[in-house]
Every structure is written in C-alpha cells, then in structure tokens.
Amino acid sequence: MTSLAFRHATSDDLDALVKLENRCFAEDRISRRSFRRFLDMPRDRLIIALAGDELLGYCLVLMSAATRLARIYSIAVSPAERGRNIGEQLVREAEAAAVDAGRIVMRLEVREDNSPAIR
C-alpha cells in the first residue's frame, strides 16, 4: 500500500481538484472558479491527500473571521480509493489545521442521503 502525504493545496492542484470533484459528485459540485477562490482565501484551508503525485482526496475547511468556528464545507475521496480511511485521515488533518488557526469548534454537515458518510 502506498503511503499517503497530506498538504495544503495550491493553484497547481486546480485541474486535479476539479477532476476529482466531477468524479465524486453528480450535483452540488464546487466549480473551478470556486476552488480558485477558496485557494486564495488566507483563512480557509484546502487539504489534499496524495499518493505520489496522484490526488486521492481533499477536505475544504472554511474558517469564519467573526468566530472561532471551523466548518468542513466539503470532503471528497476518489471512488477507487474509498474504504482506506482516507476521509478519516483528511478530517484529522483538518482538525489539526483548525486548531493551529485558533479554532475551538469544528462542524460537519452530511446530507441524509449520503449513507456512506454516515456511520
């Protein structure tokens, strides 16, 4: 099994992020323009999981300037890589990034029809 690396996304990851988003979601997708905006927001975090150069997943964390709240806005893992706890590891990385940014609460909302995410 290839080891995973986690880091903050950069504009160089934009094509891979859009491609992953399109593979993972049939609706409510984050657009290329929105990904670019999130990358440019200094207080938000877009954390990616990589195996070598291959993007396997991401976790987008929004951090309000007015509160100490962090919100996982979106999380995606490549369909071929699901079941390897990549999503869980991304959440842990997101938690660490939120703590580093001085946040004390993290929120994640999951659609009722997203049974794989609910366990």
Side-chain angles (χ1 to χ4, degrees):
M1 181 183 299
T2 305
S3 64
L4 296 178
F6 297 89
R7 65 170 172 79
H8 294 282
T10 69
S11 59
D12 291 339
D13 301 308
L14 191 56
D15 289 340
L17 284 162
V18 172
K19 186 176 178 181
L20 177 64
E21 185 77 359
N22 290 333
R23 281 198 325 260
C24 290
F25 301 107
E27 54 191 46
D28 296 328
R29 292 178 179 145
I30 298 174
S31 69
R32 177 183 207 80
R33 180 178 177 184
S34 291
F35 270 122
R36 184 177 305 283
R37 185 176 57 81
F38 290 128
L39 287 169
D40 291 340
M41 287 296 293
R43 71 177 167 266
D44 297 336
R45 304 292 185 270
L46 183 50
I47 301 163
I48 59 174
L50 300 160
D53 291 335
E54 183 181 1
L55 177 68
L56 302 184
Y58 77 82
C59 184
L60 175 58
V61 183
L62 305 183
M63 299 194 210
S64 170
T67 70
R68 295 184 69 192
L69 171 73
R71 175 180 172 219
I72 295 179
Y73 182 77
S74 184
I75 185 167
V77 174
S78 173
E81 302 298 331
R82 292 181 184 159
R84 294 182 47 205
N85 294 320
I86 296 170
E88 181 178 335
Q89 291 176 71
L90 280 163
V91 169
R92 291 186 192 282
E93 293 289 327
E95 289 172 332
V99 168
D100 287 346
R103 299 315 195 259
I104 59 172
V105 176
M106 178 171 270
R107 185 176 70 203
L108 168 65
E109 298 171 8
V110 179
R111 285 175 44 159
E112 290 179 0
D113 63 348
N114 188 354
S115 56
I118 301 170
R119 48 180 168 123

